[in-house]
Amino acid sequence: MSELNWDAPWCAGEIATLHDCFHRVSVLTIGDKGWERLQGHGGGHQQVLRVSRDVSFYRTQNLVDIPADFVEDVLRPEAGNGVLTGQFEAFLVATQLAPADLMLSPELAVNQHQKSNAPCHLRYVMRRECPSGQVSFVVAPCDETGEHLWEQTSSGKARFVSLAAVDGGKRTLVTEIVRLYCVPEAAIKLHVGGHDLPAQLLAHYQDRQLSPEVRFSASPEYMVVCIRRCGRGPPLLPKTAELGAWECAERTGFSLPRYLVRFAAIMGLDLKAWDSLDGRQLAPFQAAVRVDQWARCWPHLETGFRAQCRAYRSVNRISAAPTLVEGVEPRFVQAPAPAAPEHLLRGLEVRNTFIDAQRPSPPSRRCSSLPPA
C-alpha cells in the first residue's frame, strides 16, 4: 500500500486507496490541539490546521439537535438524498460497488461510453468505526474505475464528514473537513466548507416530524450470511442447473460472496453478494446481502444447496455438510492502518484519543559571561 501524500497538489496525485482516505478522516477528527480557531466566521466551530506552506485543512463542527441514527440514515449513500453531493455537477447514474459504497457517473458519459482520463465520476462511501465510535463519509471525484480519487476537480472538492453521537444519540456532532491547497492565509476564513449541511439535515428532520409515516431514506437493509461446517474443504458447485454433477469450489482464496453469486447464476437467479459491509472488509466465509433480494432468492437457492449438502456428504463420506446461517454478526478483517505522516503530526502527541500539542521550549539566551574555566 502506497503512503498517503498529504502535500501533493490537487489533481497532481491521487489518494492511494479508500483505506488511506478514511485514515485521513480518523487523524483529522481527533482533538482540537494543533487547530487554530477562526474568529467571526459563520456558525459552528471553524478551525484550520496548517500542514505546510501550501497545504491546510479546514474543519467545521456543528452540534445539531437531531438523533444520530436519523443523520446516518439521511447521509447513507443508498438514501439518494444528495445532501453531500450537491456541490458537484449532476451525477445521475449510480452503480453500487458494495453496501454503503456507490460510484456516481454523469448520464452522458455512461450513455456514450466516453473514455477519458479526466476524473468525471464520484465515489461516495460510508464507513463505521472510523474513528472508533463514529461514522464517516467520503465523497470524492474519481476516475472511471473508482480506484483513483482526487482532492479537487472542476466539479468540486472532496468532502470528509464524520458523525459522533452525543447525549445518548439524541444529538449529533457533525464534523466536515476540506483540504485547501495554495489558499492564502487571508482568504482561508472566506472559504465555505459545506456550512449548509446542518440546515439541510434540519430540513429533512422537520419534514420527517411533519410526516412521520414517510421514510425519507431509500436505504435497503442488509444482513450477513455465513457458511459453516466445511470440515472437508470448501463447498461444491453444480456444473449445471439440473444439479446432477458437482465440482469443488476454489480451495485457495475462497470467497463466500463469489460462491453465492456463482451458485445462484447457475440456477438462473440474480443474486448480489458483497465481501464488505459499510466500508469494512468481511471475513472470507461471510457475505453481505440485501434482505429483500435474499428473501426472493433463498426459497429457490435452498433446493440447490440441499442437493449440494447431499453431494458433499457422498463425495467426502462424512455425515456433516456445509451450512448457511443468516443474520449473523459480521466479522471484519482488520486492515493495517498506514502510519500518520510525520510532518502532519510533528509536535503532536496522541494521548487517549486526544491530541496534545508539544510546543518546543524557547532556546535559552546566553549571557555575556564566559563559562567557568
Side-chain angles (χ1 to χ4, degrees):
M1 180 183 298
S2 58
E3 184 178 353
L4 181 63
N5 190 347
W6 294 68
D7 285 323
W10 55 267
C11 284
E14 66 274 2
I15 298 174
T17 64
L18 278 172
H19 178 68
D20 289 337
C21 202
F22 280 106
H23 173 64
R24 169 178 292 187
V25 179
S26 297
V27 172
L28 294 178
T29 53
I30 295 177
D32 288 328
K33 297 297 180 66
W35 291 83
E36 177 185 342
R37 179 73 181 270
L38 297 179
Q39 301 294 336
H41 173 52
H45 196 54
Q46 316 283 332
Q47 297 171 306
V48 63
L49 175 66
R50 293 175 175 82
V51 176
S52 64
R53 184 186 64 178
D54 297 328
V55 178
S56 300
F57 287 92
Y58 178 89
R59 185 171 77 175
T60 307
Q61 292 183 309
N62 289 274
L63 184 60
V64 295
D65 293 324
I66 304 175
D69 57 352
F70 180 86
V71 177
E72 178 186 326
D73 197 38
V74 169
L75 297 186
R76 188 177 178 91
E78 294 96 334
N81 292 312
V83 177
L84 293 184
T85 59
Q87 63 164 323
F88 295 89
E89 296 175 350
F91 291 90
L92 303 177
V93 180
T95 302
Q96 185 172 20
L97 305 181
D101 186 353
L102 296 184
M103 169 98 102
L104 304 176
S105 307
E107 187 177 36
L108 180 64
V110 172
N111 289 342
Q112 297 184 0
H113 303 286
Q114 294 179 349
K115 298 287 185 179
S116 173
N117 293 325
C120 59
H121 304 267
L122 190 68
R123 191 78 180 267
Y124 186 3
V125 190
M126 183 190 88
R127 181 173 173 182
R128 297 183 187 277
E129 299 299 322
C130 180
S132 178
Q134 299 186 29
V135 175
S136 295
F137 299 83
V138 168
V139 182
C142 64
D143 65 356
E144 60 187 7
T145 68
E147 296 299 324
H148 300 138
L149 310 180
W150 279 269
E151 295 285 356
Q152 177 180 343
T153 67
S154 59
S155 302
K157 289 180 176 290
R159 296 181 71 175
F160 310 93
V161 177
S162 181
L163 309 179
V166 180
D167 294 339
K170 296 179 181 179
R171 296 194 294 172
T172 309
L173 179 63
V174 181
T175 301
E176 298 177 77
I177 299 169
V178 176
R179 180 179 178 274
L180 306 179
Y181 180 73
C182 287
V183 177
E185 184 173 349
I188 288 181
K189 65 180 181 179
L190 301 178
H191 175 75
V192 178
H195 66 281
D196 60 335
L197 178 56
Q200 294 183 57
L201 293 174
L202 183 60
H204 276 273
Y205 188 63
Q206 289 174 341
D207 290 342
R208 177 69 172 270
Q209 297 299 103
L210 293 175
S211 305
E213 72 282 356
V214 177
R215 182 175 175 83
F216 290 91
S217 161
S219 300
E221 294 184 6
Y222 299 91
M223 71 175 179
V224 176
V225 177
C226 174
I227 191 166
R228 296 173 179 169
R229 300 175 66 184
C230 298
R232 293 291 177 88
L236 305 179
L237 275 169
K239 292 184 178 181
T240 64
E242 286 72 24
L243 308 176
W246 300 84
E247 61 182 352
C248 185
E250 66 270 20
R251 291 182 176 272
T252 303
F254 174 79
S255 167
L256 181 59
R258 188 164 57 244
Y259 172 81
L260 291 176
V261 170
R262 187 177 174 189
F263 200 120
I266 293 174
M267 297 191 64
L269 301 172
D270 182 17
L271 174 67
K272 293 183 179 180
W274 297 275
D275 60 1
S276 66
L277 180 65
D278 293 345
R280 303 174 69 185
Q281 188 74 26
L282 290 167
F285 52 83
Q286 290 190 336
V289 296
R290 284 184 54 161
V291 173
D292 55 349
Q293 191 178 57
W294 182 260
R296 290 195 303 269
C297 291
W298 178 242
H300 308 283
L301 190 62
E302 185 179 16
T303 302
F305 197 75
R306 285 182 175 177
Q308 182 276 152
C309 291
R310 293 192 294 269
Y312 189 92
R313 294 188 187 100
S314 176
V315 169
N316 295 287
R317 297 182 178 180
I318 58 175
S319 60
T323 303
L324 288 174
V325 183
E326 306 172 355
V328 301
E329 288 296 320
R331 292 185 60 178
F332 297 108
V333 177
Q334 291 285 21
E342 292 184 1
H343 58 283
L344 173 66
L345 298 180
R346 186 181 297 122
L348 301 178
E349 180 182 355
V350 178
R351 294 181 178 178
N352 300 326
T353 72
F354 291 94
I355 291 184
D356 267 353
Q358 303 296 323
R359 300 184 182 276
S361 302
S364 302
R365 291 186 178 182
R366 288 190 59 184
C367 60
S368 58
S369 61
L370 294 176

